[in-house]
Amino acid sequence: MIKQNKLSFSRLAIYATLLAACAVYLVPLIVMLLTSFKTPEDIRSGNLLSWPDVITAIGWVKAWDSLGGFFWNSVKITVPAVLISTLLGALNGYVLAMWRFKGSQLFFGLLLFGCFLPFQVVLLPASFTLGKLGLANTTSGLVLVHLVYGIAFTTLFFRNYYVSVPDALVRAARLDGAGFFTIFGRILLPMSVPIIMVCLIWQFTQIWNDFLFGVVFASGDTQPITVALNNLVNTSTGTKEYNVDMAAAMIAGLPTLVVYVLAGKYFLRGLTAGAVKG
């Protein structure tokens, strides 16, 4: 009986700690959400956690008017870069795990080295390359930069996932006459849903939230939403409209939140898959 009471108390303490941690993390979100629906007068007269006297969506309307075009720029940049880098990473990981060739370990080591290169190192070479290709200050140029930079990460994820697949499965498929793409498309890809979700979440988060590449490689109407948000928050005439700033920040952050909610259950499963073998 005493042991059972100790377990109940321990569980209660764990739940209380978790709830307190959730509250701490949710306070900034609550403040942003409440502020975005307040009027400027309400913001100046009340406190951060007070309920709006008059609920209005004018802050959201103004924020979307300022960021709407840049929001779709980020969509045009993020979606193709995420999908292509994930597909190429899957192919690279498949080759490195199942079709070893001379120099494959060196190739994998170079890709692994690419994961640790800071963004600042590639700014000048990437600018030179985009200029030569005629892609400077374009959304296509940003897609190319994110695609090249992301392949190292997706290859690493898929390679570590595929080395956990039994070799006998692939050998049996080869004996049955299955070729390179048949094994990849009909055997490995259907098994790769967890790691695909990891790559989608990882790449989407990295690319959507990127500021450095966006501010360096884009200008004017081709900038992503992160750069536009920074310009909006740091540029004001007259009275500062904090409701617009908070609504703009919510608009910029919502896509990443939606992706995590929809695919987050696969994230940990995919990261831990292949962690023992290889």
Side-chain angles (χ1 to χ4, degrees):
M1 186 68 177
I2 296 176
K3 185 177 181 180
Q4 186 176 1
N5 290 335
K6 287 183 177 180
L7 289 175
S8 299
F9 180 78
S10 299
R11 185 173 301 177
L12 183 62
I14 292 173
Y15 288 154
T17 303
L18 291 175
L19 287 174
C22 289
V24 170
Y25 277 100
L26 285 176
V27 166
L29 177 63
I30 295 172
V31 170
M32 290 174 61
L33 192 60
L34 290 175
T35 304
S36 68
F37 286 104
K38 293 179 180 179
T39 62
E41 295 77 15
D42 194 4
I43 295 172
R44 288 192 294 269
S45 62
N47 60 66
L48 292 176
L49 291 174
S50 64
W51 191 260
D53 292 335
V54 177
I55 298 178
T56 175
I58 188 63
W60 288 80
V61 173
K62 289 184 177 181
W64 181 255
D65 288 341
S66 299
L67 299 183
F70 301 102
F71 180 92
W72 295 117
N73 283 347
S74 288
V75 172
K76 294 174 185 177
I77 294 166
T78 303
V79 172
V82 168
L83 295 180
I84 297 173
S85 63
T86 301
L87 176 60
L88 293 179
L91 282 170
N92 288 340
Y94 167 52
V95 171
L96 291 172
M98 302 293 179
W99 299 77
R100 301 293 176 85
F101 57 90
K102 187 177 181 179
S104 61
Q105 293 301 317
L106 175 61
F107 179 73
F108 177 68
L110 292 175
L111 281 175
L112 188 62
F113 176 74
C115 294
F116 298 98
L117 286 176
F119 284 8
Q120 292 82 355
V121 172
V122 302
L123 292 182
L124 287 178
S127 297
F128 178 79
T129 303
L130 293 180
K132 289 294 184 180
L133 295 176
L135 297 176
N137 295 325
T138 64
T139 54
S140 299
L142 276 175
V143 170
L144 179 61
V145 170
H146 286 297
L147 172 61
V148 172
Y149 202 87
I151 286 177
F153 290 97
T154 56
T155 299
L156 174 64
F157 289 151
F158 276 100
R159 184 263 180 191
N160 289 343
Y161 185 84
Y162 286 149
V163 294
S164 66
V165 176
D167 296 334
L169 185 64
V170 178
R171 286 199 299 267
R174 292 178 184 175
L175 290 176
D176 288 339
F180 180 89
F181 288 105
T182 302
I183 296 174
F184 177 69
R186 295 193 176 184
I187 298 177
L188 291 184
L189 273 187
M191 301 168 54
S192 305
V193 173
I195 199 63
I196 288 174
M197 291 301 176
V198 168
C199 289
L200 291 179
I201 293 174
W202 177 275
Q203 282 293 87
F204 188 93
T205 304
Q206 294 292 319
I207 298 173
W208 186 272
N209 293 333
D210 169 70
F211 176 79
L212 182 61
F213 286 167
V215 77
V216 172
F217 299 128
S219 63
D221 294 336
T222 64
Q223 292 176 330
I225 192 170
T226 49
V227 180
L229 176 62
N230 177 74
N231 295 338
L232 174 66
V233 172
N234 292 314
T235 303
S236 63
T237 56
T239 304
K240 184 67 173 176
E241 295 181 307
Y242 290 102
N243 55 338
V244 177
D245 293 346
M246 295 299 177
M250 293 289 294
I251 291 172
L254 276 175
T256 305
L257 179 62
V258 170
V259 168
Y260 269 99
V261 169
L262 295 179
K265 65 179 180 180
Y266 296 101
F267 193 72
L268 184 60
R269 188 190 313 173
L271 282 179
T272 55
V276 177
K277 182 180 177 182

